[in-house]
Amino acid sequence: MDNQTMPTASTSYYAQVQFLQRQAASLLLYQSVLQSEVGIAFIDLLQAIRYTDADAKGCLQAYGNYFHALAAKNQNWEDYLITQILISENPFSRLAQQREFEDLPRALIAAVQHDLQVLQSLYECSSAVLSEWVQTVAHLPVSPVVWYQEQGGTGIGTGLMKQHPEMTNIASWQHSENWADAVEELAVYYRQFGTGLFAEYRALRWQAGQFIGIRYPDPVKLNALVGYESQRDALLKNTEFLLSGEAALHVLLYGSRGSGKSSLVKALLNEYDNCNLRLLEVAKSDLQDLPKIVEHLRGVPQKFIIFVDDLSFEEDDDAFKALKVVLEGNLTARPQNVVVYATSNRRHLIREFFADRPTPKDNTEIHAWDTMQEKLSFSDRFGLTLTFEAADQKTYLQIVRHLAAQTGINLSQEDLEYQALQWATRHNGRSGRTARQFIDFLKAELAFFAKNKNTSAT
């Protein structure tokens, strides 16, 4: 363990740079902090300015890469470093989610204390300091432009802290004299908020065998969805069971296209914004990975809705078998923090043909009726089934009026309803989706005419 202290300001800059390089190389658990684009650019810059006779062109290029990486993240170096510590996945952060601090191995805690001291020394090497060092090495008349983002940008101020306002206190150790004293606070944070992508993103998808964060999830809100109040209330209640740690049910939402099934599930993420809820999208083509996905989610502090949109199966589909295992369970206990919410336009999720139905002359399978019943009853394996019937004219117009009021469209009810019915006739029929498309078009049309009218007047 390197217990050296940071060289003083009077020490030559290259001694300070070499000290920082040794510190960075000595990290035991938090190596990932320096393995992203910003961290790599920082290390490369230290290497470029390490010696007094360093190549000036190479130093300037390295500084440019470092500046570019911070600007692309729209974060200060200090914000970047704190954020990476908070989302770091390592043996300590993973174990801290599952055990009390007193039960963590002493060697692990000592390693974290060492790493926090190292990271504190890197934290204190600000972009302004690096700019001055580059000026010295490259013999510039003035120091290069320093990247600096005011607090309240998209760094820790509005990124992780927007999701978790209580992080303001948790991350206060960044201003303490000795970060090593903050190990227990860090463990508490990991236990409450988790690590990695699950701490960084509210919405994710499973793609090519890995989790991918969704930076801009659908902003749809529950108050934009009307016409299916009983289904909405049932889904909300089940989701609150999940969030409270009770046994929640897997849910199948089936019915007419455009009725808002998918929007209702996506709106849950915005309804329970600060409740540690995560929405994980899994495509039908990736359902064979579902048992593996569920095991990844076991034991983390977040609550997960696995969202499968437009679900249906072909005969002997491997995805069918994988989903069946998750819904019905096996010898492995089901994690309490995971449920599956699936949408479908089909009540019976496996396609059935008349040829599948056994006849007295059918000699292919003795218990063919049993096989067919297994297919037809698959949807029953969801604990809760919510039915979305096609919107009648009354429901359709109710949705139109509601959306028009939210959007601020100023038309008489008679005119609004007449245009809405004409739109439904010429387009996709009556549905919540059609209503939304009509309102979006009407809003754009009214804004366009208003803009052109004002332009003509001037």
Side-chain angles (χ1 to χ4, degrees):
M1 186 178 295
D2 190 349
N3 289 319
Q4 299 180 65
T5 58
M6 180 75 172
T8 62
S10 60
T11 310
S12 62
Y13 85 88
Y14 60 87
Q16 298 179 62
V17 171
Q18 291 171 11
F19 167 80
L20 292 173
Q21 286 184 303
R22 291 195 302 273
Q23 289 287 87
S26 73
L27 287 171
L28 301 172
L29 297 172
Y30 283 84
Q31 296 94 334
S32 63
V33 169
L34 299 177
Q35 289 173 354
S36 72
E37 185 179 358
V38 173
I40 292 171
F42 175 81
I43 295 299
D44 288 346
L45 178 56
L46 292 182
Q47 182 63 27
I49 62 176
R50 180 175 183 178
Y51 301 109
T52 54
D53 58 349
D55 174 60
K57 181 180 178 182
C59 292
L60 291 172
Q61 288 177 334
Y63 184 81
N65 292 338
Y66 170 74
F67 185 99
H68 182 276
L70 286 175
K73 283 281 189 181
N74 203 18
Q75 282 186 313
N76 299 329
W77 165 248
E78 295 83 355
D79 283 347
Y80 161 80
L81 206 61
I82 295 296
T83 301
Q84 293 302 307
I85 292 171
L86 293 177
I87 67 174
S88 175
E89 288 197 82
N90 58 62
F92 171 73
S93 64
R94 285 192 290 267
L95 203 58
Q97 295 177 62
Q98 302 169 9
R99 297 188 188 178
E100 297 293 338
F101 181 75
E102 296 75 15
D103 298 328
L104 296 174
R106 296 298 97 187
L108 203 59
I109 293 175
V112 177
Q113 290 174 325
H114 165 265
D115 280 8
L116 287 177
Q117 288 178 327
V118 168
L119 293 168
Q120 184 174 11
S121 65
L122 301 182
Y123 177 93
E124 292 167 353
C125 181
S126 67
S127 296
V129 170
L130 288 172
S131 175
E132 292 176 2
W133 288 347
V134 170
Q135 178 187 8
T136 301
V137 173
H139 306 291
L140 300 175
V142 295
S143 59
V145 175
V146 176
W147 170 261
Y148 181 74
Q149 172 66 42
E150 292 289 342
Q151 291 296 329
T154 57
I156 192 171
T158 60
L160 288 175
M161 283 188 179
K162 183 177 179 181
Q163 294 183 41
H164 312 306
E166 48 274 70
M167 279 177 56
T168 304
N169 296 326
I170 294 172
S172 62
W173 47 264
Q174 65 184 289
H175 304 299
S176 65
E177 293 185 5
N178 187 3
W179 286 13
D181 296 336
V183 178
E184 187 170 358
E185 290 180 66
L186 201 53
V188 169
Y189 168 81
Y190 291 140
R191 188 172 180 83
Q192 186 173 0
F193 299 113
T195 60
L197 289 174
F198 299 154
E200 192 173 2
Y201 295 96
R202 297 183 303 127
L204 306 99
R205 67 169 54 92
W206 178 262
Q207 185 175 316
Q210 61 181 339
F211 296 104
I212 305 294
I214 298 174
R215 191 170 297 277
Y216 304 106
D218 193 325
V220 61
K221 297 289 184 68
L222 278 178
N223 61 11
L225 306 174
V226 296
Y228 299 93
E229 283 73 17
S230 63
Q231 295 89 332
R232 178 200 63 195
D233 293 345
L235 193 65
L236 287 175
K237 181 179 291 186
N238 192 68
T239 304
E240 288 169 2
F241 290 160
L242 170 71
L243 296 174
S244 66
E246 301 297 330
L249 301 174
H250 301 300
V251 182
L252 172 65
L253 302 87
Y254 93 92
S256 176
R257 60 188 175 87
S259 55
K261 303 182 296 295
S262 301
S263 295
L264 182 56
V265 175
K266 290 184 283 189
L268 295 173
L269 193 62
N270 302 309
E271 180 71 11
Y272 300 104
D273 191 26
N274 296 316
C275 297
N276 243 4
L277 179 65
R278 300 292 180 267
L279 189 61
L280 173 61
E281 183 180 39
V282 179
K284 180 198 161 186
S285 57
D286 291 321
L287 282 180
Q288 67 271 13
D289 294 337
L290 207 51
K292 179 169 65 174
I293 293 171
V294 170
E295 286 308 308
H296 274 298
L297 307 181
R298 185 187 299 275
V300 301
Q302 293 87 0
K303 312 296 183 181
F304 290 87
I305 295 173
I306 296 178
F307 176 42
V308 186
D309 201 16
D310 197 18
L311 183 62
S312 66
F313 298 109
E314 304 296 331
E315 189 172 6
D316 298 326
D317 197 325
D318 287 340
F320 162 73
K321 299 170 185 175
L323 181 55
K324 182 179 175 183
V325 167
V326 171
L327 296 180
E328 293 191 333
N330 51 23
L331 285 176
T332 304
R334 170 192 162 187
Q336 289 287 94
N337 65 327
V338 180
V339 292
V340 176
Y341 286 3
T343 70
S344 179
N345 296 332
R346 304 173 58 88
R347 174 64 176 87
H348 298 299
L349 300 177
I350 303 177
R351 290 205 302 167
E352 181 200 3
F353 300 93
F354 281 108
D356 294 334
R357 298 189 176 188
T359 67
K361 296 180 181 180
D362 189 344
N363 297 317
T364 57
E365 185 179 354
I366 296 175
H367 301 293
W369 276 111
D370 291 345
T371 300
M372 191 184 76
Q373 287 302 313
E374 181 184 22
K375 291 182 180 181
L376 296 180
S377 67
F378 179 69
S379 57
D380 296 337
R381 291 175 169 87
F382 288 88
L384 180 61
T385 299
L386 303 177
T387 304
F388 291 73
E389 297 178 352
D392 57 19
Q393 180 168 304
K394 179 181 178 182
T395 301
Y396 171 67
L397 292 177
Q398 178 191 1
I399 297 171
V400 168
R401 290 193 297 269
H402 180 80
L403 294 176
Q406 283 194 328
T407 309
I409 291 176
N410 187 20
L411 285 180
S412 68
Q413 182 172 319
E414 181 180 359
D415 192 15
L416 178 68
E417 293 182 355
Y418 174 78
Q419 291 192 47
L421 292 173
Q422 290 294 311
W423 179 275
T425 300
R426 291 193 296 263
H427 293 82
N428 302 314
R430 296 188 297 262
S431 71
R433 180 183 298 147
T434 301
R436 167 54 67 187
Q437 292 167 347
F438 165 67
I439 291 298
D440 287 345
F441 177 83
L442 185 59
K443 178 184 177 183
E445 183 180 50
L446 293 173
F448 177 80
F449 285 137
K451 181 179 180 181
N452 285 347
K453 182 178 179 180
N454 293 334
T455 303
S456 299
T458 57

